[in-house]
Amino acid sequence: MKARIHITLKTGVLDPQGKAIGHALEGLGFEGVSEVRQGKVIDLDLAETDEARAREQVRAMCERLLANTVIENYAIDLSQ
Amino acid sequence: MKSAVVVFPASNCDRDAAVALQRATGKAPRMLWHAETDVPDDLDLIVLPGGFSFGDYLRCGAMAAHSPIMRDIVRRARAGTPVLGICNGFQILCETGLLPGVLMRNASLRFVCKPVALRVEETQSLFTRRFKRGEEIKIPVAHGDGNYFADEETLDRIEGEGRVALRYAPGANPNGAARDIAGILSENRRILGLMPHPERAADAELGLTDGSKMFASILEALP
């Protein structure tokens, strides 16, 4: 299976990089962007073929390494 | 006192820490490569040095926190072996969960490298006992990710337990850290993580010497 993990900053955690990107967009003349939040995407190729087991495996990876849950949320998308 | 400095790939303050320890204790620390699995049994102090371990990939300190040697270090730290984490070492300690919170990107998005004024908030620890409470000292910082963050409940708790060892002096916060926090202690007060570099302020010929008091404190507590 393939897994795509979206890691985003929790609400309330300041995101200076997102702010800087917002300012740059404004400087380029793009209007109406009220907030920018930056995150990251991690793609995994998994040997596991069972969706439930794959989700559990990736969840454990996120908890132990891929995300820091003090400041980050993660969401897992699985596909064959 | 027997000490050791852990060397990760891209540690860059390991030798400075070793020189400062040798000068304070008269004994050269053991240098432990991160891929080793066991820490010597007779150590009184483990230092996690500054640097950019594993290129700061994923998050600062995240990869190093899972280096083979860290399993034994976490076990020993939980059992009471003193650990000093400087800069990247502080980030690693937060990533292992030995210290609460996390070091985020500086609010300015700039790398800051300069001496900063700090206030010693707690002297009830083996790292700070030679300082006076409220004493203002000057120690250099050099980091891009020193913006200490934890949720309000955690911040209230560590303040209430007297675990904020060092704070940036009013107006001197170089990174946006919550409540001007520059260094915190573990619950048992035997682990200190701090962003400033005491090992860079331990030689009069390099200008600043306030950091040497931290090494003197450690030696006094762990003769």
Side-chain angles (χ1 to χ4, degrees):
Chain A
M1 301 203 75
K2 290 182 188 304
R4 171 160 284 190
I5 303 151
H6 299 262
I7 296 168
T8 49
L9 282 175
K10 288 183 173 173
T11 319
V13 175
L14 286 176
D15 180 8
Q17 292 182 89
K19 273 217 164 58
I21 294 167
H23 288 313
L25 288 173
E26 208 179 287
L28 289 170
F30 292 102
E31 289 168 15
V33 181
S34 55
E35 201 186 357
V36 182
R37 305 282 283 171
Q38 190 192 258
K40 49 190 144 187
V41 169
I42 299 175
D43 286 328
L44 304 175
D45 276 327
L46 302 171
E48 182 60 64
T49 53
D50 177 78
E51 181 165 341
R53 278 200 296 266
R55 187 170 296 282
E56 186 45 39
Q57 191 184 28
V58 176
R59 195 195 61 77
M61 292 178 193
C62 289
E63 290 289 331
R64 288 194 57 196
L65 177 67
L66 301 179
N68 183 329
T69 55
V70 175
I71 48 167
E72 293 169 332
N73 289 321
Y74 59 87
I76 301 165
D77 286 336
L78 292 171
S79 60
Q80 288 296 341
Chain B
M1 183 185 87
K2 290 191 176 124
S3 61
V5 178
V6 181
V7 185
F8 299 95
S11 289
N12 67 6
C13 299
D14 44 322
R15 279 173 290 177
D16 304 53
V19 168
L21 282 168
Q22 173 147 22
R23 186 168 288 199
T25 66
K27 266 183 264 177
R30 303 270 286 267
M31 304 304 278
L32 299 175
W33 180 236
H34 79 111
E36 292 179 40
T37 50
D38 294 300
V39 174
D41 276 323
D42 56 354
L43 288 180
D44 301 306
L45 173 76
I46 298 169
V47 177
L48 305 181
F52 300 85
S53 58
F54 297 90
D56 283 348
Y57 289 177
L58 194 62
R59 297 176 306 277
C60 299
M63 316 297 274
H66 297 284
S67 269
I69 203 164
M70 288 308 296
R71 191 184 295 254
D72 200 29
I73 290 177
V74 168
R75 186 178 67 78
R76 283 168 196 274
R78 291 216 166 102
T81 300
V83 180
L84 173 63
I86 302 166
C87 198
N88 191 218
F90 185 14
Q91 295 162 343
I92 295 167
L93 286 171
C94 287
E95 281 285 343
T96 60
L98 284 171
L99 292 176
V102 60
L103 283 313
M104 297 184 56
R105 179 67 56 92
N106 292 347
S108 64
L109 295 177
R110 293 198 183 90
F111 189 91
V112 287
C113 184
K114 61 179 184 185
V116 293
L118 302 164
R119 215 170 49 208
V120 181
E121 298 281 7
E122 292 295 334
T123 53
Q124 302 287 315
S125 85
L126 60 100
F127 309 97
T128 53
R129 54 194 280 159
R130 289 282 287 260
F131 294 98
K132 287 192 212 56
R133 200 187 173 95
E135 183 176 346
E136 198 164 294
I137 59 175
K138 196 161 258 191
I139 292 185
V141 296
H143 60 250
D145 299 72
N147 183 353
Y148 183 75
F149 177 88
D151 59 46
E152 288 296 312
E153 196 188 319
T154 305
L155 292 170
D156 287 344
R157 182 164 51 82
I158 60 175
E159 296 227 40
E161 292 171 354
R163 291 167 52 190
V164 177
L166 296 162
R167 235 187 269 272
Y168 301 110
N173 185 337
N175 51 38
R179 304 190 192 181
D180 298 329
I181 289 172
I184 57 169
L185 293 159
S186 59
E187 212 170 341
N188 69 3
R189 312 183 83 76
R190 294 176 75 77
I191 305 172
L192 172 68
L194 76 168
M195 288 314 297
H197 286 269
E199 81 283 12
R200 294 191 190 180
D203 184 338
E205 287 185 40
L206 295 177
L208 299 170
T209 55
D210 287 339
S212 53
K213 254 193 200 177
M214 185 169 286
F215 295 101
S217 295
I218 296 168
L219 181 66
E220 187 178 85
L222 309 167

PDB file of all heavy atoms in Angstrom, chain B residues 46-69:
ATOM      1  N   ILE B  46      26.369  12.903  31.593  1.00  0.00           N
ATOM      2  CA  ILE B  46      26.351  12.713  30.137  1.00  0.00           C
ATOM      3  C   ILE B  46      25.997  14.052  29.503  1.00  0.00           C
ATOM      4  O   ILE B  46      25.034  14.704  29.922  1.00  0.00           O
ATOM      5  CB  ILE B  46      25.313  11.647  29.735  1.00  0.00           C
ATOM      6  CG1 ILE B  46      25.675  10.291  30.367  1.00  0.00           C
ATOM      7  CG2 ILE B  46      25.223  11.527  28.210  1.00  0.00           C
ATOM      8  CD1 ILE B  46      24.566   9.244  30.253  1.00  0.00           C
ATOM      9  N   VAL B  47      26.800  14.468  28.523  1.00  0.00           N
ATOM     10  CA  VAL B  47      26.524  15.730  27.835  1.00  0.00           C
ATOM     11  C   VAL B  47      26.096  15.457  26.401  1.00  0.00           C
ATOM     12  O   VAL B  47      26.757  14.712  25.664  1.00  0.00           O
ATOM     13  CB  VAL B  47      27.781  16.646  27.838  1.00  0.00           C
ATOM     14  CG1 VAL B  47      27.499  17.930  27.045  1.00  0.00           C
ATOM     15  CG2 VAL B  47      28.187  16.990  29.272  1.00  0.00           C
ATOM     16  N   LEU B  48      24.966  16.036  26.013  1.00  0.00           N
ATOM     17  CA  LEU B  48      24.528  16.007  24.615  1.00  0.00           C
ATOM     18  C   LEU B  48      24.889  17.378  24.042  1.00  0.00           C
ATOM     19  O   LEU B  48      24.330  18.390  24.470  1.00  0.00           O
ATOM     20  CB  LEU B  48      23.022  15.748  24.507  1.00  0.00           C
ATOM     21  CG  LEU B  48      22.496  14.491  25.192  1.00  0.00           C
ATOM     22  CD1 LEU B  48      20.989  14.355  24.972  1.00  0.00           C
ATOM     23  CD2 LEU B  48      23.199  13.248  24.660  1.00  0.00           C
ATOM     24  N   PRO B  49      25.823  17.429  23.109  1.00  0.00           N
ATOM     25  CA  PRO B  49      26.377  18.715  22.689  1.00  0.00           C
ATOM     26  C   PRO B  49      25.542  19.413  21.612  1.00  0.00           C
ATOM     27  O   PRO B  49      24.602  18.835  21.049  1.00  0.00           O
ATOM     28  CB  PRO B  49      27.737  18.310  22.114  1.00  0.00           C
ATOM     29  CG  PRO B  49      27.491  16.971  21.519  1.00  0.00           C
ATOM     30  CD  PRO B  49      26.458  16.299  22.403  1.00  0.00           C
ATOM     31  N   GLY B  50      25.953  20.641  21.316  1.00  0.00           N
ATOM     32  CA  GLY B  50      25.314  21.403  20.249  1.00  0.00           C
ATOM     33  C   GLY B  50      25.751  20.910  18.874  1.00  0.00           C
ATOM     34  O   GLY B  50      26.691  20.140  18.744  1.00  0.00           O
ATOM     35  N   GLY B  51      25.026  21.370  17.884  1.00  0.00           N
ATOM     36  CA  GLY B  51      25.349  20.987  16.515  1.00  0.00           C
ATOM     37  C   GLY B  51      24.088  20.902  15.685  1.00  0.00           C
ATOM     38  O   GLY B  51      23.057  21.497  16.028  1.00  0.00           O
ATOM     39  N   PHE B  52      24.183  20.140  14.615  1.00  0.00           N
ATOM     40  CA  PHE B  52      23.053  19.992  13.691  1.00  0.00           C
ATOM     41  C   PHE B  52      22.896  18.515  13.373  1.00  0.00           C
ATOM     42  O   PHE B  52      22.962  18.103  12.218  1.00  0.00           O
ATOM     43  CB  PHE B  52      23.292  20.834  12.425  1.00  0.00           C
ATOM     44  CG  PHE B  52      23.433  22.285  12.734  1.00  0.00           C
ATOM     45  CD1 PHE B  52      24.652  22.812  13.110  1.00  0.00           C
ATOM     46  CD2 PHE B  52      22.322  23.111  12.717  1.00  0.00           C
ATOM     47  CE1 PHE B  52      24.778  24.147  13.458  1.00  0.00           C
ATOM     48  CE2 PHE B  52      22.433  24.447  13.057  1.00  0.00           C
ATOM     49  CZ  PHE B  52      23.669  24.972  13.425  1.00  0.00           C
ATOM     50  N   SER B  53      22.722  17.706  14.427  1.00  0.00           N
ATOM     51  CA  SER B  53      22.717  16.258  14.247  1.00  0.00           C
ATOM     52  C   SER B  53      21.775  15.852  13.122  1.00  0.00           C
ATOM     53  O   SER B  53      20.659  16.356  13.025  1.00  0.00           O
ATOM     54  CB  SER B  53      22.325  15.565  15.553  1.00  0.00           C
ATOM     55  OG  SER B  53      21.065  16.005  15.998  1.00  0.00           O
ATOM     56  N   PHE B  54      22.276  14.988  12.274  1.00  0.00           N
ATOM     57  CA  PHE B  54      21.510  14.473  11.125  1.00  0.00           C
ATOM     58  C   PHE B  54      20.942  15.605  10.263  1.00  0.00           C
ATOM     59  O   PHE B  54      19.865  15.474   9.679  1.00  0.00           O
ATOM     60  CB  PHE B  54      20.389  13.537  11.594  1.00  0.00           C
ATOM     61  CG  PHE B  54      20.903  12.306  12.281  1.00  0.00           C
ATOM     62  CD1 PHE B  54      21.106  12.289  13.645  1.00  0.00           C
ATOM     63  CD2 PHE B  54      21.211  11.159  11.552  1.00  0.00           C
ATOM     64  CE1 PHE B  54      21.612  11.155  14.279  1.00  0.00           C
ATOM     65  CE2 PHE B  54      21.710  10.029  12.172  1.00  0.00           C
ATOM     66  CZ  PHE B  54      21.911  10.025  13.542  1.00  0.00           C
ATOM     67  N   GLY B  55      21.703  16.708  10.203  1.00  0.00           N
ATOM     68  CA  GLY B  55      21.302  17.789   9.316  1.00  0.00           C
ATOM     69  C   GLY B  55      19.972  18.431   9.679  1.00  0.00           C
ATOM     70  O   GLY B  55      19.352  19.091   8.844  1.00  0.00           O
ATOM     71  N   ASP B  56      19.549  18.259  10.943  1.00  0.00           N
ATOM     72  CA  ASP B  56      18.237  18.791  11.357  1.00  0.00           C
ATOM     73  C   ASP B  56      17.093  18.230  10.509  1.00  0.00           C
ATOM     74  O   ASP B  56      16.028  18.853  10.401  1.00  0.00           O
ATOM     75  CB  ASP B  56      18.199  20.335  11.299  1.00  0.00           C
ATOM     76  CG  ASP B  56      18.923  20.984  12.478  1.00  0.00           C
ATOM     77  OD1 ASP B  56      19.253  20.272  13.436  1.00  0.00           O
ATOM     78  OD2 ASP B  56      19.133  22.212  12.426  1.00  0.00           O
ATOM     79  N   TYR B  57      17.302  17.077   9.891  1.00  0.00           N
ATOM     80  CA  TYR B  57      16.241  16.490   9.060  1.00  0.00           C
ATOM     81  C   TYR B  57      15.008  16.179   9.900  1.00  0.00           C
ATOM     82  O   TYR B  57      15.108  15.852  11.083  1.00  0.00           O
ATOM     83  CB  TYR B  57      16.724  15.183   8.397  1.00  0.00           C
ATOM     84  CG  TYR B  57      17.744  15.376   7.300  1.00  0.00           C
ATOM     85  CD1 TYR B  57      18.315  14.276   6.665  1.00  0.00           C
ATOM     86  CD2 TYR B  57      18.149  16.646   6.889  1.00  0.00           C
ATOM     87  CE1 TYR B  57      19.253  14.430   5.660  1.00  0.00           C
ATOM     88  CE2 TYR B  57      19.087  16.803   5.888  1.00  0.00           C
ATOM     89  CZ  TYR B  57      19.644  15.700   5.281  1.00  0.00           C
ATOM     90  OH  TYR B  57      20.579  15.854   4.295  1.00  0.00           O
ATOM     91  N   LEU B  58      13.863  16.248   9.283  1.00  0.00           N
ATOM     92  CA  LEU B  58      12.549  16.022   9.896  1.00  0.00           C
ATOM     93  C   LEU B  58      12.232  17.121  10.908  1.00  0.00           C
ATOM     94  O   LEU B  58      11.378  17.949  10.643  1.00  0.00           O
ATOM     95  CB  LEU B  58      12.440  14.625  10.512  1.00  0.00           C
ATOM     96  CG  LEU B  58      11.025  14.188  10.869  1.00  0.00           C
ATOM     97  CD1 LEU B  58      10.125  14.108   9.643  1.00  0.00           C
ATOM     98  CD2 LEU B  58      11.031  12.855  11.603  1.00  0.00           C
ATOM     99  N   ARG B  59      12.856  17.097  12.065  1.00  0.00           N
ATOM    100  CA  ARG B  59      12.793  18.182  13.043  1.00  0.00           C
ATOM    101  C   ARG B  59      14.129  18.156  13.773  1.00  0.00           C
ATOM    102  O   ARG B  59      14.741  17.099  13.896  1.00  0.00           O
ATOM    103  CB  ARG B  59      11.674  17.962  14.088  1.00  0.00           C
ATOM    104  CG  ARG B  59      10.254  17.938  13.572  1.00  0.00           C
ATOM    105  CD  ARG B  59       9.273  17.614  14.712  1.00  0.00           C
ATOM    106  NE  ARG B  59       9.610  16.390  15.402  1.00  0.00           N
ATOM    107  CZ  ARG B  59       9.277  15.167  14.989  1.00  0.00           C
ATOM    108  NH1 ARG B  59       8.557  15.015  13.892  1.00  0.00           N
ATOM    109  NH2 ARG B  59       9.649  14.100  15.675  1.00  0.00           N
ATOM    110  N   CYS B  60      14.545  19.304  14.320  1.00  0.00           N
ATOM    111  CA  CYS B  60      15.817  19.346  15.031  1.00  0.00           C
ATOM    112  C   CYS B  60      15.815  18.315  16.164  1.00  0.00           C
ATOM    113  O   CYS B  60      14.912  18.325  16.994  1.00  0.00           O
ATOM    114  CB  CYS B  60      16.042  20.714  15.639  1.00  0.00           C
ATOM    115  SG  CYS B  60      16.114  22.004  14.429  1.00  0.00           S
ATOM    116  N   GLY B  61      16.802  17.457  16.166  1.00  0.00           N
ATOM    117  CA  GLY B  61      16.942  16.498  17.258  1.00  0.00           C
ATOM    118  C   GLY B  61      16.108  15.235  17.116  1.00  0.00           C
ATOM    119  O   GLY B  61      16.277  14.288  17.882  1.00  0.00           O
ATOM    120  N   ALA B  62      15.206  15.209  16.124  1.00  0.00           N
ATOM    121  CA  ALA B  62      14.270  14.076  16.028  1.00  0.00           C
ATOM    122  C   ALA B  62      14.979  12.768  15.675  1.00  0.00           C
ATOM    123  O   ALA B  62      14.650  11.712  16.226  1.00  0.00           O
ATOM    124  CB  ALA B  62      13.184  14.366  14.997  1.00  0.00           C
ATOM    125  N   MET B  63      15.941  12.832  14.758  1.00  0.00           N
ATOM    126  CA  MET B  63      16.635  11.610  14.364  1.00  0.00           C
ATOM    127  C   MET B  63      17.587  11.170  15.479  1.00  0.00           C
ATOM    128  O   MET B  63      17.652  10.005  15.832  1.00  0.00           O
ATOM    129  CB  MET B  63      17.432  11.817  13.079  1.00  0.00           C
ATOM    130  CG  MET B  63      16.700  12.572  12.000  1.00  0.00           C
ATOM    131  SD  MET B  63      15.248  11.720  11.409  1.00  0.00           S
ATOM    132  CE  MET B  63      15.963  10.696  10.178  1.00  0.00           C
ATOM    133  N   ALA B  64      18.326  12.133  16.034  1.00  0.00           N
ATOM    134  CA  ALA B  64      19.289  11.807  17.095  1.00  0.00           C
ATOM    135  C   ALA B  64      18.592  11.182  18.296  1.00  0.00           C
ATOM    136  O   ALA B  64      19.156  10.315  18.966  1.00  0.00           O
ATOM    137  CB  ALA B  64      20.050  13.063  17.517  1.00  0.00           C
ATOM    138  N   ALA B  65      17.354  11.628  18.572  1.00  0.00           N
ATOM    139  CA  ALA B  65      16.625  11.097  19.722  1.00  0.00           C
ATOM    140  C   ALA B  65      16.429   9.588  19.599  1.00  0.00           C
ATOM    141  O   ALA B  65      16.189   8.915  20.597  1.00  0.00           O
ATOM    142  CB  ALA B  65      15.271  11.795  19.863  1.00  0.00           C
ATOM    143  N   HIS B  66      16.531   9.069  18.385  1.00  0.00           N
ATOM    144  CA  HIS B  66      16.351   7.632  18.160  1.00  0.00           C
ATOM    145  C   HIS B  66      17.653   6.931  17.791  1.00  0.00           C
ATOM    146  O   HIS B  66      17.642   5.796  17.335  1.00  0.00           O
ATOM    147  CB  HIS B  66      15.281   7.409  17.088  1.00  0.00           C
ATOM    148  CG  HIS B  66      13.947   7.922  17.520  1.00  0.00           C
ATOM    149  ND1 HIS B  66      13.146   7.250  18.427  1.00  0.00           N
ATOM    150  CD2 HIS B  66      13.291   9.066  17.227  1.00  0.00           C
ATOM    151  CE1 HIS B  66      12.055   7.956  18.649  1.00  0.00           C
ATOM    152  NE2 HIS B  66      12.113   9.061  17.936  1.00  0.00           N
ATOM    153  N   SER B  67      18.788   7.607  17.955  1.00  0.00           N
ATOM    154  CA  SER B  67      20.084   6.966  17.750  1.00  0.00           C
ATOM    155  C   SER B  67      20.220   5.797  18.726  1.00  0.00           C
ATOM    156  O   SER B  67      19.668   5.854  19.827  1.00  0.00           O
ATOM    157  CB  SER B  67      21.219   7.955  18.015  1.00  0.00           C
ATOM    158  OG  SER B  67      21.578   8.626  16.845  1.00  0.00           O
ATOM    159  N   PRO B  68      20.994   4.764  18.333  1.00  0.00           N
ATOM    160  CA  PRO B  68      21.119   3.599  19.221  1.00  0.00           C
ATOM    161  C   PRO B  68      21.500   3.952  20.658  1.00  0.00           C
ATOM    162  O   PRO B  68      20.915   3.415  21.598  1.00  0.00           O
ATOM    163  CB  PRO B  68      22.219   2.774  18.543  1.00  0.00           C
ATOM    164  CG  PRO B  68      22.111   3.133  17.092  1.00  0.00           C
ATOM    165  CD  PRO B  68      21.681   4.585  17.061  1.00  0.00           C
ATOM    166  N   ILE B  69      22.438   4.885  20.829  1.00  0.00           N
ATOM    167  CA  ILE B  69      22.914   5.156  22.189  1.00  0.00           C
ATOM    168  C   ILE B  69      21.831   5.803  23.064  1.00  0.00           C
ATOM    169  O   ILE B  69      21.875   5.725  24.293  1.00  0.00           O
ATOM    170  CB  ILE B  69      24.172   6.051  22.169  1.00  0.00           C
ATOM    171  CG1 ILE B  69      24.955   5.861  23.472  1.00  0.00           C
ATOM    172  CG2 ILE B  69      23.829   7.520  21.930  1.00  0.00           C
ATOM    173  CD1 ILE B  69      26.353   6.378  23.428  1.00  0.00           C
TER     174      ILE B  69
END
